[in-house]
Amino acid sequence: MQKAEGGIFAADYETAEKYLRRIIELFPTSQYVPDANFGLAYVRMKKGDCAEAAVLFENFYQRYSSHKKSPDALYYSILCYIKFVDTADRDIEYVKKVRELSSIFLQRYPDHEKAEEVSKIREKVLNILAEHHLLVAEFYLRRKLYEPAIRRLEIIVEKDKELLGTSVGKKAQKLYEEIKKDKTSSSQY
């Protein structure tokens, strides 16, 4: 384990990864396996493979939730997944994943030194998610498909109150109220 840690601190990630994998393979019941799994995820992250690192950190957290490095694993998983969060007009699976993991982090570790940073990340993904639903609603409105637009806006306004609390949520609420008002005053929809 010392050689692996030495490789990590010296930024010799290839050597560190080699030793960490050997620990896991040769001593699967060893007390060092959790640290080796964490180290392996950390090395993958440092090597720029955030896709694999995110999954490894998340798996570490799920498998060793009472381990002293669990909060850090969850935090690093969030940092890795957030790299794949782009804009509201893209696939939102990573947005949902970051939302889920950041909720867990803030619930379980509210006093952690990274809680404020995670809270900001969570706020960012909530805005992106709300914006995604608003963009889809606007798409339907441009095509005069009012019912699907209303259903999309209802996700923000009625079903997911966290999204309503975002800056985008306020805009969605205003649009939702306008459509509902127009719909009740005219039954052409």
Side-chain angles (χ1 to χ4, degrees):
M1 194 66 192
Q2 289 177 337
K3 286 186 179 185
E5 288 175 346
I8 292 171
F9 292 123
D12 181 4
Y13 299 127
E14 297 302 324
T15 301
E17 187 171 5
K18 181 176 101 177
Y19 282 110
L20 291 166
R21 287 192 188 280
R22 286 183 68 192
I23 290 168
I24 295 167
E25 290 169 10
L26 297 175
F27 310 103
T29 59
S30 166
Q31 67 183 12
Y32 300 112
V33 169
D35 288 323
N37 279 306
F38 183 89
L40 193 57
Y42 188 80
V43 165
R44 298 307 306 167
M45 180 180 69
K46 286 299 194 178
K47 287 173 76 174
D49 187 357
C50 276
E52 185 177 350
V55 172
L56 290 172
F57 280 125
E58 187 178 0
N59 289 342
F60 177 92
Y61 175 77
Q62 290 170 350
R63 191 169 184 191
Y64 308 108
S65 60
S66 61
H67 192 277
K68 65 182 179 182
K69 291 185 180 176
S70 284
D72 294 331
L74 192 55
Y75 169 72
Y76 287 134
S77 183
I78 292 165
L79 287 188
C80 288
Y81 280 124
I82 196 70
K83 290 185 182 294
F84 300 103
V85 171
D86 196 0
T87 58
D89 61 341
R90 304 283 185 219
D91 182 17
I92 58 169
E93 287 309 305
Y94 287 115
V95 171
K96 291 177 182 179
K97 177 59 83 172
V98 172
R99 179 185 187 184
E100 172 194 347
L101 296 177
S102 62
S103 291
I104 293 168
F105 186 94
L106 293 170
Q107 184 178 12
R108 292 207 57 197
Y109 313 109
D111 299 325
H112 192 275
E113 63 183 299
K114 299 295 184 181
E116 188 175 332
E117 181 181 353
V118 171
S119 183
K120 288 178 184 176
I121 290 170
R122 181 171 169 64
E123 187 176 316
K124 175 183 175 181
V125 296
L126 287 173
N127 269 302
I128 290 172
L129 189 56
E131 186 179 358
H132 172 79
H133 291 304
L134 180 59
L135 287 172
V136 173
E138 289 170 342
F139 169 83
Y140 287 132
L141 289 174
R142 285 191 300 274
R143 283 153 184 77
K144 300 193 184 316
L145 299 169
Y146 299 104
E147 288 304 317
I150 289 171
R151 284 194 300 273
R152 229 7 128 122
L153 292 170
E154 283 174 343
I155 293 172
I156 301 170
V157 177
E158 295 177 359
K159 295 179 181 172
D160 193 337
K161 297 297 183 182
E162 281 188 308
L163 298 181
L164 183 58
T166 65
S167 57
V168 176
K170 303 300 179 206
K171 182 178 175 184
Q173 183 176 25
K174 183 178 177 188
L175 181 59
Y176 176 75
E177 290 168 358
E178 288 173 14
I179 294 170
K180 292 292 265 187
K181 180 182 166 193
D182 288 347
K183 187 175 181 188
T184 55
S185 64
S186 166
S187 27
Q188 294 179 346
Y189 303 105

